[in-house]
């Protein structure tokens, strides 16, 4: 297996827009990324960043205006390598006249699996994605989250080397998100390569070995989540309790704190942390926790976009 | 099963689950009503009436199915995005297209065969026997099926680049003009302008010639149809479908899904 599972070179996509389709909108501009075999790579970006466009290009659903890409060393126009790829589309929708088991069986047939093998895999897979017992229900009766689970099941049923997931956690409840995260980590443990897109920073942070940040169709940075977001700790959060109710004329510090029940929460700049802690101790406070406040995804993106406007070159973050 | 076959089978399954074959109930009722009515009048043209009416119904029902399901075959999968996950499997786009075509053709064949059985049952009920001359009805049914194959191919072609509504218009338009192809070719004076006339005649060769497939008169009167005509029509339909499907495959293979 080549060291690079996925490699794109200057991948660019213009969509015709307007009534006469004469105008062009650039959805993706010169995307060049390399996903190494065995890693979890996240495409992180706000809505409309071009994540789905990039993924659809990789899957051959749309064709690039410019640039090329290879998966497992083969050009993306070669559908034979699809035998080694699993794909979950964004907001998946499937034949609603089929049951989940029938759909999985239909798709599995394209992978030349014997009927006994298919049956066994499907039973296991339905269990794995939490659709145990729902396999015989027609998909028209499925909820969005259930469809998402079926979508994940069909993507990994044939045990592919490379798994490409477009917003795999969307539409899922917290338990579902957790299960999907576990499945993704499980895949990596099995030596698979996973590329997934998300607009949720915490998902990327929890799962990814490396993240590519896409804003406005351009790749703004590639690196591990810590490198990307850790760069920007915007402050410290101190959680504390007071032994007694604060005096009527509370100190300036206490006045700034936000009270919920018995607890107080205080945000301070990093530089003032120790000074604040000393002051709180003087007030007789019991410190419960001190945590970094990292920029939210929104702050982070606004920052990136702002920096980009001031200086056209892409933000370079060291890669592995 | 080949990849095309897998898609074809699923397409057939979809038609069955969408209760497409329920039209057979309508056909059965029509045949029963005809049989009862003809039995009461009985002036020696029973078979003619039953065969003409039966074949017309087979043709119309088949056409409606071919056009209305045909234009949605690929379009619906693009529109609902069911195609995304499928095309991520090791299947080429033309294989998918061909599978869709074959699937609807299978549906139409089953449906038409069932109607043919109904037609023969009606004939048997009215005449208390089947004659060798009735065999020509089978040929007529076969020709209808060939015609439907061409219609499905055309509907598929249009739906690869335009909306279902326009696809229906184009397909129906071609069907209707296809019924008059011979007339266009034999009229020396169509538009009044010799140059335009030549273009019209040349253009008529692009259209499917459905007149060759119409043997309703012969079938109603029990006149045999020469094997050469059967062979010729079969070849014609096969080549026409192949060309139209190839064009559809070329367009579809380059198409950006939305
Ligand atoms: N078929 C299309 N036609 C025109 N514009 C499109 C099309 N698909 C996507 N776009 C545009 O391309 C941009 C990127 O879209 P997309 O890749 O779906 O973003 P993301 O998945 O990151 O939310 C958006 O501005 C979107 O409007
Ligand atoms: Mg998207």
């Amino acid at each position: 297996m080549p060291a690079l599972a996925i490699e794109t070179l200057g991948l660019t996509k213009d969509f015709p827009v307007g009534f006469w389709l004469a105008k062009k909108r650039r959805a993706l501009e010169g995307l060049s990324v390399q996903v190494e075999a065995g890693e979890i790579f996240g495409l992180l970006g706000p809505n409309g960043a071009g994540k789905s466009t990039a993924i659809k290009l990789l899957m051959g659903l749309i064709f690039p205006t410019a640039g090329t890409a290879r998966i497992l060393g083969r050009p993306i126009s070669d559908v034979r390598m699809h035998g080694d790829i699993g794909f979950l589309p964004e907001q998946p929708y499937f034949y609603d006249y089929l049951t989940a088991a029938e759909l999985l069986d239909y798709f599995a047939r394209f992978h030349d699996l014997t009927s006994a093998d298919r049956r066994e895999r499907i039973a296991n897979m339905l269990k794995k994605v939490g659709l145990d017992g729902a396999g015989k229900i027609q998909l028209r009766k499925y909820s969005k989250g259930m469809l998402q689970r079926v979508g994940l099941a069909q993507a990994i049923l044939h045990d592919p080397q490379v798994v490409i997931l477009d917003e795999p956690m969307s539409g899922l409840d917290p338990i579902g998100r957790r299960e999907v995260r576990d499945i993704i980590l499980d895949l990596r443990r099995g030596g698979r390569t996973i590329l997934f897109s998300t607009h949720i920073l915490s998902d990327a942070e929890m799962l990814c070995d490396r993240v590519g940040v896409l804003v406005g169709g351009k790749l703004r940075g590639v690196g591990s989540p810590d490198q990307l977001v850790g760069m920007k700790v915007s402050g410290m959060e101190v959680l504390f309790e007071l032994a007694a109710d604060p005096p009527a004329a509370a100190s300036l510090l206490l006045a700034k704190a936000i009270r919920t029940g018995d607890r107080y929460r205080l945000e301070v700049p990093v530089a003032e942390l120790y000074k604040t802690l000393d002051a709180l101790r003087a007030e007789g406070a019991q410190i419960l926790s001190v945590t970094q406040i990292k920029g939210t995804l929104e702050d982070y993106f606004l920052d990136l976009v702002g920096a980009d406007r001031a200086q056209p070159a892409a933000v370079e973050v060291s890669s592995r | 099963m080949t990849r095309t076959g897998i898609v074809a089978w699923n397409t057939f399954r979809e038609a069955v689950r969408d209760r497409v074959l329920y039209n057979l109930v309508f056909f059965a009722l029509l045949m029963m009503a005809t049989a009862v009515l003809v039995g009461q009048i009985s002036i020696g043209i029973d078979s003619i009436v039953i065969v003409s009416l039966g074949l017309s119904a087979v043709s119309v029902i088949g056409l409606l199915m071919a056009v209305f399901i045909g234009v949605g075959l690929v379009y619906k999968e693009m529109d609902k995005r069911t195609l995304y996950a499928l095309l991520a499997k090791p299947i080429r786009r033309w294989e998918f297209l061909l599978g869709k075509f074959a699937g609807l053709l299978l549906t139409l064949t089953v449906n038409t065969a069932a109607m043919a059985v109904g037609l023969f049952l009606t004939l048997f009920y009215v005449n208390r026997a089947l004659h060798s001359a009735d065999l020509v009805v089978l040929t007529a049914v076969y020709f209808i099926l060939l015609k439907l194959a061409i219609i499905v191919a055309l509907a598929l072609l249009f739906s690869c680049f335009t909306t279902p509504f326009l696809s229906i218009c184009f397909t129906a338009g071609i069907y209707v003009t296809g019924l008059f192809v011979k007339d266009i070719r034999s009229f020396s004076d169509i538009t009044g302008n010799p140059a335009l006339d030549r273009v019209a005649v040349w253009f008529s060769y692009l259209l499917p010639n459905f007149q060759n497939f119409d043997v309703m008169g012969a079938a109603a009167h029990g006149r045999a149809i020469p094997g050469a005509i059967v062979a010729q029509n079969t070849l014609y339909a096969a080549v026409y479908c192949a060309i139209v499907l190839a064009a559809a495959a070329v367009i579809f293979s380059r198409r950006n899904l939305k």
Side-chain angles (χ1 to χ4, degrees):
Chain A
M1 194 164 143
L4 286 182
I6 302 172
E7 182 179 23
T8 74
L9 244 177
L11 218 46
T12 301
K13 181 64 183 178
D14 291 342
F15 284 112
V17 289
F19 184 73
W20 296 108
L21 300 181
K23 286 187 229 147
K24 300 242 182 283
R25 174 189 290 154
R26 182 148 291 189
L28 192 65
E29 185 163 338
L31 177 71
S32 298
V33 286
Q34 302 186 332
V35 178
E36 286 163 38
E39 78 174 339
I40 301 180
F41 189 95
L43 263 185
L44 184 63
N47 293 328
K51 305 180 296 291
S52 295
T53 302
I55 286 177
K56 284 189 217 163
L57 284 168
L58 284 176
M59 296 312 301
L61 297 171
I62 55 178
F63 302 101
T65 307
T68 57
R70 297 174 87 81
I71 301 180
L72 295 171
R74 301 233 194 145
I76 47 174
S77 54
D78 182 357
V79 300
R80 274 173 306 171
M81 62 149 171
H82 283 192
D84 288 325
I85 298 180
F87 170 52
L88 168 69
E90 185 175 30
Q91 294 172 9
Y93 189 79
F94 302 106
Y95 308 99
D96 55 14
Y97 51 91
L98 296 181
T99 66
E102 284 170 338
L103 180 86
L104 293 181
D105 186 69
Y106 175 50
F107 283 153
R109 282 169 190 266
F110 294 100
H111 293 291
D112 295 328
L113 303 170
T114 65
S115 104
D117 191 11
R118 290 200 303 268
R119 213 172 315 125
E120 194 188 321
R121 280 174 191 246
I122 289 167
N124 290 339
M125 190 52 70
L126 286 173
K127 213 172 293 166
K128 187 165 183 171
V129 298
L131 289 175
D132 216 5
K136 293 210 167 70
I137 299 174
Q138 279 198 347
L139 294 173
R140 70 174 86 243
K141 299 191 182 115
Y142 268 45
S143 71
K144 200 163 166 269
M146 288 165 87
L147 281 177
Q148 191 80 17
R149 288 163 189 258
V150 176
L152 187 63
Q154 61 83 31
I156 58 178
L157 185 71
H158 52 291
D159 197 15
Q161 284 300 322
V162 174
V163 182
I164 298 177
L165 311 168
D166 198 350
E167 309 250 2
M169 264 76 99
S170 83
L172 292 176
D173 53 33
I175 302 163
R177 303 174 82 84
R178 171 68 186 271
E179 284 169 352
V180 170
R181 278 202 299 270
D182 287 347
I183 288 175
I184 291 176
L185 289 171
D186 214 35
L187 285 168
R188 184 185 52 183
R189 226 167 289 132
R192 308 291 178 253
T193 310
I194 300 102
L195 168 76
F196 78 95
S197 75
T198 181
H199 60 273
I200 298 162
L201 187 63
S202 63
D203 285 340
E205 208 168 9
M206 260 182 270
L207 283 172
C208 296
D209 296 309
R210 286 193 308 142
V211 175
V213 182
L214 213 52
V215 182
K218 289 186 200 144
L219 191 66
R220 308 295 170 129
V222 182
S224 73
D226 280 349
Q227 288 171 327
L228 286 176
V229 189
M231 294 190 310
K232 214 178 136 40
V233 175
S234 62
M236 302 302 283
E237 183 193 72
V238 183
L239 212 60
F240 61 90
E241 281 178 0
L242 286 178
D245 267 352
S251 70
L252 204 60
L253 205 57
L254 284 181
K256 273 200 293 180
I258 297 163
R259 182 175 180 175
T260 19
D262 285 337
R263 295 190 170 178
Y264 294 80
R265 203 169 64 83
L266 187 61
E267 287 185 19
V268 293
V270 180
E272 290 173 23
L273 177 66
Y274 291 101
K275 204 177 78 188
T276 309
L277 290 179
D278 289 342
L280 283 174
R281 192 160 35 189
E283 303 258 7
Q286 185 189 354
I287 310 290
L288 295 172
S289 73
V290 178
T291 41
Q292 292 183 332
I293 303 169
K294 286 180 183 174
T296 61
L297 182 59
E298 196 182 359
D299 298 339
Y300 180 59
F301 280 134
L302 290 178
D303 253 30
L304 263 182
V305 176
D308 191 67
R309 284 217 185 98
Q311 175 195 357
V315 175
E316 264 308 320
V317 180
S318 71
S319 61
R320 198 164 71 176
Chain B
M1 236 194 301
T2 65
R3 293 183 285 264
T4 300
I6 300 168
V7 175
W9 180 248
N10 192 50
T11 307
F12 177 68
R13 180 161 59 173
E14 173 176 10
V16 171
R17 297 217 174 152
D18 282 351
R19 304 188 175 87
V20 164
L21 300 181
Y22 277 22
N23 71 81
L24 290 171
V25 174
F26 168 75
F27 181 80
L29 289 176
L30 181 75
M31 283 291 100
M32 280 192 272
T34 315
V36 170
L37 231 73
V38 164
Q40 282 173 357
I41 307 169
S42 194
I43 45 171
I45 54 161
D46 312 5
S47 307
I48 298 182
V49 172
I50 290 170
V51 170
S52 309
L53 201 80
L55 285 179
S56 301
V58 170
S59 179
V60 170
I61 291 174
L63 277 170
L64 290 176
M65 278 173 66
V67 174
F68 283 94
I69 305 178
V71 297
L73 277 180
V74 173
Y75 185 85
K76 223 169 65 186
E77 292 227 14
M78 291 197 281
D79 194 48
K80 292 192 168 177
R81 293 179 293 116
T82 47
L83 199 47
Y84 283 20
L86 179 61
L87 287 184
K89 310 297 170 218
I91 181 174
R92 293 181 184 83
R93 288 197 183 187
W94 67 261
E95 290 172 325
F96 164 76
L97 206 68
L98 202 59
K100 281 292 187 184
F101 172 77
L104 181 50
L105 203 55
L106 176 64
T107 312
L108 288 168
T109 305
V110 169
N111 201 63
T112 307
M115 288 193 284
V117 169
L119 184 48
F120 277 106
L121 281 178
T122 314
L123 275 178
F124 182 77
Y125 170 79
V126 171
N127 295 335
R128 302 287 160 209
L130 283 181
H131 309 290
S132 59
D134 294 334
L135 266 184
V136 70
V137 172
L138 267 189
T139 316
V141 169
Y142 174 62
F143 283 179
I144 290 175
L145 212 49
L146 291 181
K147 197 168 71 172
L148 296 182
I150 295 180
I151 294 292
V152 172
L154 285 168
L156 207 56
L157 169 66
F158 292 128
S159 72
C160 284
F161 60 84
T162 184
T163 61
F165 177 73
L166 286 179
S167 302
I168 289 172
C169 295
F170 290 151
T171 313
I174 289 193
Y175 175 69
V176 173
T177 24
L179 293 175
F180 300 103
V181 158
K182 269 190 192 157
D183 302 327
I184 299 176
R185 287 175 202 166
S186 55
F187 272 166
S188 56
D189 186 30
I190 305 165
T191 61
N193 177 332
L196 269 181
D197 282 355
R198 229 168 309 133
V199 173
V201 170
W202 184 82
F203 186 70
S204 76
Y205 281 95
L206 286 179
L207 295 170
N209 181 351
F210 286 133
Q211 269 169 313
N212 282 347
F213 293 85
D214 183 10
V215 290
M216 193 111 71
H221 293 94
R223 285 198 306 271
I225 292 160
I229 302 258
V230 176
Q232 185 197 315
N233 278 352
T234 305
L235 189 67
Y236 180 85
V239 171
Y240 201 94
C241 283
I243 293 172
V244 173
L245 289 175
V250 167
I251 294 171
F252 185 58
S253 295
R254 285 144 202 262
R255 182 167 173 151
N256 285 302
L257 301 182
K258 61 165 190 167

